[in-house]
Amino acid sequence: MPRSSSTLTPDDRLGTAQPAGGGPGDVSRRGTSSAGRSRPTPGATLGLGIATIYLSLLVLIPLAAVLWRSAEGGPGDFWQAMTTPEALSSLKLTVGAAVIVALINLVMGTLIAWVLVRDNFPGKAVVDMLIDLPFALPTIVAGLVLLALYGPGSPLHVNIAYARVGVVVALLFVTLPFVVRTVQPVLLELDKSMEEAATSLGASSAATFRRIILPNLLPAMLSGTALAFARAMSEFGATVLISGNIPFQTQVSSVHIFGQIESDNVHGAAVVSAVLLVIALVVLVSLDVLQRWGARRG
Amino acid sequence: MRWRTNKSKVAMVFGVVLALALGGAACGSSSASGGGKVQLSLVAYSTPQEAYAQIIKAYQSTPEGKNVTFRKSFGASGDQSRAVASGLTADIVAFSLEPDITRLVKAKLVPADWNAGEQKGMVTDSVVVLVTRKGNPKGIKTWSDLTKPGVEVITPNPFTSGGARWNVMAAYGAQIKTGKSEAEGVKYLEDLFTHVPVQDDTARKSLQTFTSGKGDVLLAYENEAIFAQQKGQKIDYVVPDDTILIENPVAITTRSKHPKEAKAFLDYLYADKAQGIFAANGYRPVTKIGAASKFPTPKNLFTIADFGGWADVTTKFFDTDKGIMAGVERKIGVSVAKK
């Protein structure tokens, strides 16, 4: 590489049209990389192309198909299918449960991540591994296990099955890893000297947490929470067993959608799915905006 | 160090997944072995899985069945039907209720005259029964016992479970057949469903819910009740005087690559041997064989045809928006919301 033989002056870095230094061989090269900042290199173009095709095939086209299907009958039909009493009550329950689950995850997930990073205790590695297990377990099995433990025949004499609280517990189980696994690496990388400096300057531990640690963790906490929220809204396997599926009481949207499909009402299923997608999108975007806003302020 | 633990963890998870995948592949290939023989693909609903396994074994010991292997797929009736409609290869389809065949007739995957035979395309029968705890502590005998105070009834959701529709029609039909008006029949359904604390998405899950200790009565098919008893569950069941005859259809698809062999197997399903195996698994045989006598005949047995057939019943009762059952669920939902 000829570039290695030359040194870049600040002017070069700013990308002036005619670089002063450097051998003739690297003029053109540097010209491409600096002047064409918006024009990607061939390698990057290939990567971008592959990523776009992959995402399109896997995500964009299927999601667009759902939206397309839901819009088939026009806005009137869409509204009607969305506002049937069953659909509305299942949506309310689903979104409500997802919000509660996301908030609990935000607090408990951060706490668990904190304990796993900052504290030392015997069996820590085992606990660390346990966190991922809800991902590995088919969620229907999770529902079955929760039902056996916290259902009518509970050996612990805790019966939360067939009620809304059962839905929340099932969702908590399934979404546990999200916040823990997003916060943990950030906490691990967090420079302890910042905290030490704050303490040595006389900040209380509460102030250190609020002013130093929290702002650093917040982006990770929020993105983990957003993931947990989105996952909670779509969960089927864990909730279908433990909720009891009574329409208007414990039937979540995913089960409602399943019912529509079983009853050959694909349009109704697509409409409720589209509503879930839009809610998830709005939440993901607004958390992202919140995060950026927080980053600018902090 | 930390990275390494992560790596070994990933490796472990990967290993487990791989092992499961290989296990699954092994299971898949054991039923899919070909080797110059004719392979028939059977797509069926889940409950008769055991019966079909035994029948296929018996069939393969006959001269016609000697060179026939089977690829079997079992799942929820509606899901299986939709899968075949969307292109899943099938030579023979067996479902829990007729609309799942009708879907394939509409898609021209099953000939329109599939039910022209002597048994009208039905391969097994059953009836809706009232499953109770051992010894029937609540003294459940009739449909009106189900709506007494303090009785909890378990039945799947009729919108998610096609099979649960038999239960609804049995409960409704029992009212009509004992001289009640249609409005009184609907009123009964409303009463009944206020006694239902859990509406699982499938019949099998309802059975599981009931055997795990929830509820006093389970609305189920007789064959499911017998299956549960055979598995050692502590349950009894009552065949009510008024109940519906459940009829399970079977058909050969138009896309079958081996129509002759498929037809031969279909005929075998009606042979005494196969019907006897169905009977041993709790199904009522559709032909007159000796085992038929072990099933009690209810006093007033009615069929879905008494209510105009499945096409009419589906629109009238199970339309997700305007059906009678949608109204029943809504009415209960509204009264709950007011409490």
Side-chain angles (χ1 to χ4, degrees):
Chain A
M1 281 288 286
R3 178 180 291 192
S4 60
S5 65
S6 70
T7 45
L8 283 172
T9 63
D11 271 3
D12 293 335
R13 287 207 197 98
L14 287 172
T16 45
Q18 288 300 322
D26 66 1
V27 170
S28 63
R29 260 195 84 85
R30 210 160 48 220
T32 341
S33 69
S34 52
R37 189 151 286 166
S38 57
R39 212 182 325 137
T41 63
T45 315
L46 186 65
L48 185 70
I50 292 173
T52 310
I53 292 171
Y54 187 77
L55 279 177
S56 301
L57 288 177
L58 268 183
V59 182
L60 285 177
I61 295 174
L63 291 192
V66 170
L67 291 178
W68 180 257
R69 199 72 189 256
S70 71
E72 256 168 13
D77 268 21
F78 187 97
W79 182 252
Q80 204 179 11
M82 186 188 122
T83 54
T84 63
E86 296 89 350
L88 264 190
S89 77
S90 77
L91 279 171
K92 276 184 203 157
L93 171 65
T94 305
V95 175
V99 167
I100 294 172
V101 165
L103 290 177
I104 295 177
N105 264 310
L106 177 65
V107 178
M108 291 311 293
T110 310
L111 183 82
I112 292 169
W114 180 271
V115 169
L116 285 177
V117 172
R118 291 295 172 92
D119 295 336
N120 269 314
F121 52 91
K124 182 170 143 174
V126 176
V127 175
D128 197 24
M129 263 177 72
L130 280 180
I131 304 287
D132 289 332
L133 283 186
F135 275 159
L137 203 62
T139 53
I140 189 101
V141 179
L144 203 62
V145 170
L146 289 173
L147 196 57
L149 282 179
Y150 306 123
S154 167
L156 308 167
H157 301 287
V158 181
N159 187 357
I160 50 155
Y162 316 128
R164 288 182 171 183
V165 60
V167 176
V168 172
V169 170
L171 293 179
L172 281 175
F173 178 88
V174 175
T175 57
L176 169 72
F178 288 105
V179 176
V180 180
R181 287 298 183 234
T182 46
V183 170
Q184 207 177 12
V186 180
L187 201 52
L188 217 52
E189 296 295 314
L190 197 61
D191 196 351
K192 262 202 162 164
S193 58
M194 282 199 292
E195 290 165 57
E196 280 155 11
T199 314
S200 72
L201 290 170
S204 65
S205 57
T208 311
F209 181 78
R210 196 166 54 82
R211 305 288 295 271
I212 306 289
I213 299 171
L214 202 57
N216 278 301
L217 290 188
L218 207 58
M221 285 163 71
L222 287 182
S223 65
T225 305
L227 285 174
F229 176 83
R231 186 73 186 79
M233 280 212 312
S234 65
E235 180 52 34
F236 180 85
T239 49
V240 74
L241 277 177
I242 206 166
S243 75
N245 304 326
I246 303 282
F248 301 100
Q249 295 173 53
T250 55
Q251 189 179 64
V252 295
S253 286
S254 55
V255 178
H256 171 76
I257 290 168
F258 178 57
Q260 301 296 308
I261 292 173
E262 286 294 311
S263 307
D264 285 324
N265 181 10
V266 181
H267 176 249
V271 166
V272 180
S273 309
V275 174
L276 287 181
L277 280 177
V278 170
I279 295 173
L281 191 68
V282 167
V283 168
L284 291 176
V285 167
S286 48
L287 280 182
D288 191 56
V289 168
L290 193 69
Q291 204 173 300
R292 280 158 199 264
W293 176 76
R296 261 207 315 276
R297 255 181 101 245
Chain B
M1 184 58 212
R2 156 119 209 121
W3 184 78
R4 259 174 61 187
T5 51
N6 263 337
K7 198 176 166 192
S8 66
K9 195 160 49 178
V10 167
M12 201 191 76
V13 169
F14 183 74
V16 169
V17 168
L18 193 69
L20 289 175
L22 287 176
C27 291
S29 60
S30 67
S31 60
S33 55
K37 297 173 168 183
V38 170
Q39 192 187 54
L40 293 179
S41 171
L42 168 70
V43 176
Y45 66 109
S46 46
T47 40
Q49 185 166 358
E50 186 62 27
Y52 274 111
Q54 293 168 11
I55 288 172
I56 284 170
K57 213 169 154 207
Y59 183 61
Q60 283 168 337
S61 65
T62 67
E64 311 87 69
K66 200 167 68 220
N67 287 319
V68 182
T69 59
F70 286 84
R71 191 165 64 187
K72 294 164 280 182
S73 159
F74 296 95
S77 190
D79 292 348
Q80 295 289 75
S81 165
R82 262 183 293 277
V84 173
S86 313
L88 176 68
T89 316
D91 296 296
I92 301 144
V93 288
F95 298 131
S96 70
L97 68 175
E98 199 183 321
D100 289 333
I101 296 268
T102 313
R103 178 183 292 118
L104 299 184
V105 173
K106 277 181 195 154
K108 301 212 185 323
L109 290 167
V110 164
D113 64 347
W114 68 278
N115 54 359
E118 191 192 347
Q119 305 299 341
K120 298 198 163 57
M122 302 300 164
V123 71
T124 49
D125 286 345
S126 195
V127 295
V128 171
V129 298
L130 313 176
V131 178
T132 66
R133 302 279 164 212
K134 193 88 191 157
N136 197 353
K138 297 237 169 171
I140 305 292
K141 288 197 174 55
T142 66
W143 289 99
S144 54
D145 291 334
L146 302 186
T147 52
K148 285 180 178 163
V151 174
E152 279 191 340
V153 182
I154 307 293
T155 182
N157 184 308
F159 293 103
T160 54
S161 161
R165 296 177 180 186
W166 288 113
N167 299 349
V168 173
M169 292 320 291
Y172 174 82
Q175 307 307 307
I176 302 300
K177 293 292 169 183
T178 49
K180 304 270 177 58
S181 70
E182 287 198 7
E184 284 169 323
V186 174
K187 179 77 182 54
Y188 176 80
L189 289 179
E190 284 168 19
D191 279 355
L192 179 65
F193 274 82
T194 54
H195 288 260
V196 178
V198 180
Q199 295 182 14
D200 286 299
D201 61 330
T202 65
R204 257 302 150 75
K205 281 186 197 146
S206 276
L207 178 64
Q208 203 164 29
T209 298
F210 185 75
T211 53
S212 75
K214 184 77 180 166
D216 303 302
V217 187
L218 169 73
L219 300 186
Y221 319 151
E222 187 183 43
N223 58 285
E224 283 284 273
I226 293 171
F227 167 83
Q229 281 186 333
Q230 285 173 348
K231 296 274 169 198
Q233 298 290 351
K234 291 187 179 56
I235 56 149
D236 279 335
Y237 66 92
V238 180
V239 180
D241 283 346
D242 311 280
T243 192
I244 199 163
L245 181 71
I246 294 170
E247 298 165 294
N248 312 118
V250 64
I252 299 171
T253 63
T254 53
R255 294 224 181 123
S256 173
K257 287 199 184 78
H258 312 285
K260 212 173 84 209
E261 286 82 358
K263 177 73 171 60
F265 180 67
L266 190 77
D267 290 342
Y268 184 76
L269 292 179
Y270 293 98
D272 289 357
K273 174 81 181 161
Q275 287 286 312
I277 291 173
F278 276 127
N281 281 279
Y283 289 91
R284 294 184 174 216
V286 292
T287 58
K288 289 190 175 59
I289 60 165
S293 61
K294 77 170 188 179
F295 296 96
T297 311
K299 249 183 237 161
N300 301 313
L301 191 64
F302 46 89
T303 68
I304 201 71
D306 295 349
F307 307 101
W310 273 114
D312 286 1
V313 165
T314 305
T315 324
K316 187 173 169 189
F317 284 82
F318 304 109
D319 183 279
T320 53
D321 194 29
K322 297 184 181 68
I324 286 173
M325 270 318 291
V328 167
E329 300 268 26
R330 262 173 217 175
K331 200 157 176 185
I332 296 167
V334 170
S335 69
V336 166
K338 271 184 193 156
K339 267 179 202 169

